[in-house]
Every structure is written in structure tokens, then in C-alpha cells.
């Protein structure tokens, strides 16, 4: 990613609000090769496809380039997101509707050389340093980041939400990477992150990291898809920020 930021890039799918790069596929193949060489029994669910058995006890959830549109335009705000999940012995109690819970979350920004990590029961870290969410208690003082995914339904849901919220917060930022939005909340840089129709591979690692950092992650899954309405906060803004609909 770092080497190709300013190089010309080949797109294999372009829509009005999204770009899929050939480099997305190459990055996922590199990640898949490394992970499956060390953990051949662990399945992989990624933005660019699936590897291994769908019913495997463990799976990696991978977004090889989160923030692809930024990356395609040479904007250095994109990252790699990887989570390790395990099938829950009690599917009804699992955090995700297909029966999995997250054990490890890793998000790496190669342009700022920042690595966020969380392992179950050990807290969250940024480049090895323990991090915690911020302590902003009032929405009027909060800096909130919002994402707009590529579908018409997402835009229709988020635009009215944005219009209401912009008058109630200190600032709204739209940065273009869900995983970095979540880790920025975990680090106290933002106070909340909101998006609808966001995919599992965009949020699996970041959601785990923000909870490990003492924050709160809420989501409403969309039936039949690996997509969700999500909101992550420092935990003090829960009553002020409802989930988008």
C-alpha cells in the first residue's frame, strides 16, 4: 500500500460512490497466503472473497484496504483491518448473527505507521502503548466522524441524520475509512463514529479495539447480509446518539 500510494492504479469495478482496485485483490491474497501458511485450519472471510471452510471454528475477517477511494486518489488515509473470530459455543449469545465472537483485532495504517491491537482480556494498544477512549461527556463538545457507504439506502438514511447532528456537535469529520474511524474513537481522537450499511470486514477489528479501550459499540445487523447499522462512542454519549435508521 505504501509503495503504491502515488502510483497509477487499475480499477476492476467502479460505481458512483465506490471504487474496487486490482490492488485490493493482490493485498488480500498476500494476507491470505501469510495467515493460511501459519494457520491452515483457520478460514478467511474477506472483502475480496472467502477461503477455507465456512463452518470452521476459527476465521479471519479481513479488509485488505479499508478506505479504497482515498487510496485510489492518493490520499494517505487508509488501512489494513484483520480480526480473528471464533464460533461461539452458544450461537444465540454470540456477538455476530452468524455465531462468531472476536478474539483479536488489528488495524494498521501504513502511512502514519500506527498499529492498533487488542487481544481478548488485555485491553487496547497503539504501537504498544495502552489507549483509552476520550472523556467528552457532552454532545456539544464532541467531534464525531460519519461514514457514507455506497448504496442509495445508506445515503437516504445518513443525510437526514447528518443534517440533525451537525447543529448539535462541535465538529463532524468524514474521513473515508471505517476501521480508522473506530480506532480514532478508541484513541480519544474522536468521540463517536456512525455509519449505516457497513460491512463486517470494515468493523470487526475496530469494534473489538474500541470496546477493549473502554468504549461502546452498538450495531443493528441487516438480515441476510454481512452489513450493519453501527455507532461507536466513548460510552458517555450513549443517550445523545441513537443508531441511524
Amino acid at each position: 500500500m505504501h509503495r503504491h500510494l502515488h502510483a497509477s492504479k487499475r480499477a476492476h469495478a467502479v460505481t458512483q460512490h465506490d471504487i474496487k482496485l486490482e490492488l485490493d485483490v493482490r493485498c488480500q491474497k498476500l494476507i491470505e497466503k501469510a495467515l493460511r501458511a501459519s494457520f491452515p485450519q483457520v478460514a478467511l472471510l474477506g472483502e475480496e472473497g472467502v477461503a477455507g471452510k465456512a463452518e470452521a471454528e476459527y476465521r479471519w475477517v479481513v479488509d485488505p484496504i479499508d478506505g479504497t477511494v482515498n487510496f485510489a486518489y492518493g490520499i494517505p488515509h487508509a488501512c489494513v483491518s484483520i480480526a480473528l473470530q471464533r464460533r461461539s459455543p452458544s450461537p444465540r449469545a454470540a456477538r455476530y448473527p452468524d455465531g462468531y465472537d472476536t478474539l483479536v483485532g488489528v488495524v494498521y495504517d501504513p502511512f502514519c505507521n500506527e498499529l492498533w491491537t487488542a487481544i481478548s482480556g488485555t485491553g487496547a494498544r497503539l504501537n504498544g502503548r495502552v489507549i483509552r477512549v476520550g472523556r467528552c461527556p457532552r454532545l456539544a463538545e464532541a467531534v464525531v466522524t460519519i461514514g457514507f457507504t455506497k448504496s442509495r439506502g445508506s445515503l437516504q438514511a445518513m443525510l437526514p441524520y447528518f443534517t440533525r447532528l451537525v447543529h448539535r456537535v462541535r465538529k463532524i469529520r468524514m474521513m473515508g475509512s471505517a476501521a480508522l474511524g473506530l480506532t480514532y474513537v478508541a484513541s480519544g481522537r474522536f468521540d463517536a463514529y456512525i455509519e449505516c450499511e457497513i460491512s463486517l470486514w470494515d468493523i470487526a477489528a475496530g469494534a473489538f479495539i474500541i470496546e477493549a479501550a473502554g468504549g461502546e459499540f452498538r450495531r443493528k445487523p441487516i438480515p441476510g447480509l454481512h452489513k450493519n447499522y453501527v455507532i461507536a462512542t466513548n460510552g458517555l454519549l450513549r443517550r445523545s446518539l441513537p443508531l441511524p435508521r
Side-chain angles (χ1 to χ4, degrees), residues 85-185:
Q85 295 187 332
R86 179 174 61 193
R87 186 175 291 280
S88 173
S90 176
R92 289 187 177 182
R95 292 299 305 275
Y96 289 91
D98 58 353
Y100 283 87
D101 294 311
T102 305
L103 303 176
V104 176
V106 177
V107 173
Y108 180 57
D109 177 349
F111 309 112
C112 294
N113 194 29
E114 292 188 318
L115 177 69
W116 288 266
T117 57
I119 301 172
S120 185
T122 67
R125 295 176 181 268
L126 169 55
N127 289 347
R129 176 179 57 84
V130 174
I131 55 172
R132 297 287 296 177
V133 292
R135 302 300 299 167
C136 177
R138 299 180 62 242
L139 196 58
E141 300 169 358
V143 178
V144 177
T145 182
I146 284 183
F148 288 83
T149 51
K150 55 182 176 281
S151 76
R152 181 182 296 273
S154 169
L155 293 172
Q156 290 175 339
M158 290 303 298
L159 283 172
Y161 194 101
F162 172 87
T163 302
R164 293 192 301 271
L165 190 62
V166 71
H167 300 290
R168 302 179 62 201
V169 301
R170 177 151 290 161
K171 285 291 183 181
I172 287 181
R173 295 287 181 254
M174 290 177 282
M175 306 289 282
S177 167
L180 287 178
L182 289 166
T183 57
Y184 277 31
V185 176

Side-chain angles (χ1 to χ4, degrees), residues 69-80:
V69 175
N70 284 349
F71 182 70
Y73 280 83
I75 301 168
H77 188 78
C79 65
V80 181

